[in-house]
Amino acid sequence: MNKTIWVILAIVTVLAIGSVFSYNSLVTMNENVNGKWSQVENQLQRRADLIPNLVNTVNGYAAHEQQTIQAVADARTKLAGAQGPAAKAGANGELNSALSRLLVVVENYPNLKADQNFRALMDELSGSENRLAVARKDYNESVQSYNTAIRSLPASVLAGLFGFGSKEYFKADDGAKQVPQVKFDPVRSK
């Protein structure tokens, strides 16, 4: 009888220790996902902060292109107010579309493309786009690891008990699946 109690006590102790390690692992992974998401938001904010300067620079050259400039400003505002990965991805898609239209406007103003302030802002925006792509990739990788962990045994039991739910991936907007069309205008003579 004494031997049976020790065996049961040993099994309970091993299960308790395993549960603590599994729980702590889930907490760590959850915080990693949250940290990666904050980096995505950080890069979205960095890009959103650059856009007013870009718009003001373009606005000085192309005052009559107000509709395009307003679309960029509106899309930036929508992105700033979006909550969660799905809403941020949708607002990001609208901003990408508006920025594409703005770049078409820029093509019509060769002096603007040569302007030092504009070039510096475009370089910053390009850098932001690269950082944003890396942040989204890192976030999605951490979501994948976390979601896999909470669906795998034995962690799935603890995940259910302690309310660890699956996380949402940052997905590209539907328009990102289309191949962009590049059209060059013939050089205009002055």
Side-chain angles (χ1 to χ4, degrees):
M1 181 80 127
N2 195 14
K3 191 174 184 182
T4 305
I5 292 174
W6 283 109
V7 169
I8 292 172
L9 196 58
I11 291 172
V12 169
T13 302
V14 168
L15 288 175
I17 290 172
S19 295
V20 168
F21 282 122
S22 187
Y23 176 81
N24 288 342
S25 176
L26 290 175
V27 169
T28 300
M29 293 176 96
N30 187 43
E31 286 303 312
N32 185 40
V33 168
N34 293 340
K36 299 292 185 181
W37 176 246
S38 71
Q39 282 304 310
V40 170
E41 288 184 324
N42 181 35
Q43 294 307 321
L44 287 170
Q45 184 62 51
R46 182 179 190 280
R47 182 175 75 166
D49 290 345
L50 286 170
I51 289 171
N53 295 327
L54 181 66
V55 167
N56 288 336
T57 302
V58 173
N59 205 11
Y61 278 89
H64 65 281
E65 302 288 355
Q66 196 58 40
Q67 183 178 3
T68 301
I69 292 168
Q70 187 61 46
V72 171
D74 291 345
R76 177 186 175 268
T77 301
K78 188 172 182 179
L79 177 63
Q83 298 296 318
K88 293 254 184 197
N92 184 53
E94 287 183 35
L95 183 57
N96 286 343
S97 176
L99 284 173
S100 295
R101 290 190 305 273
L102 181 65
L103 293 177
V104 169
V105 169
V106 169
E107 289 298 319
N108 293 325
Y109 296 91
N111 291 340
L112 175 59
K113 288 191 295 186
D115 181 75
Q116 182 177 358
N117 290 334
F118 178 78
R119 285 191 320 227
L121 287 168
M122 287 304 295
D123 288 345
E124 285 292 320
L125 190 58
S126 177
S128 289
E129 295 297 326
N130 291 336
R131 287 183 192 89
L132 184 56
V134 169
R136 285 188 301 233
K137 179 183 95 43
D138 290 347
Y139 170 75
N140 282 343
E141 286 174 353
S142 67
V143 167
Q144 181 182 13
S145 295
Y146 172 79
N147 285 348
T148 301
I150 66 167
R151 293 178 62 204
S152 301
L153 284 173
S156 63
V157 175
L158 286 174
L161 287 174
F162 291 106
F164 289 95
S166 65
K167 299 288 186 175
E168 192 177 336
Y169 286 99
F170 192 99
K171 297 178 182 163
D173 61 308
D174 291 335
K177 295 175 184 170
Q178 301 297 322
V179 177
Q181 293 188 7
V182 178
K183 296 180 183 177
F184 293 101
D185 291 331
V187 178
R188 297 180 195 147
S189 58
K190 295 187 180 193

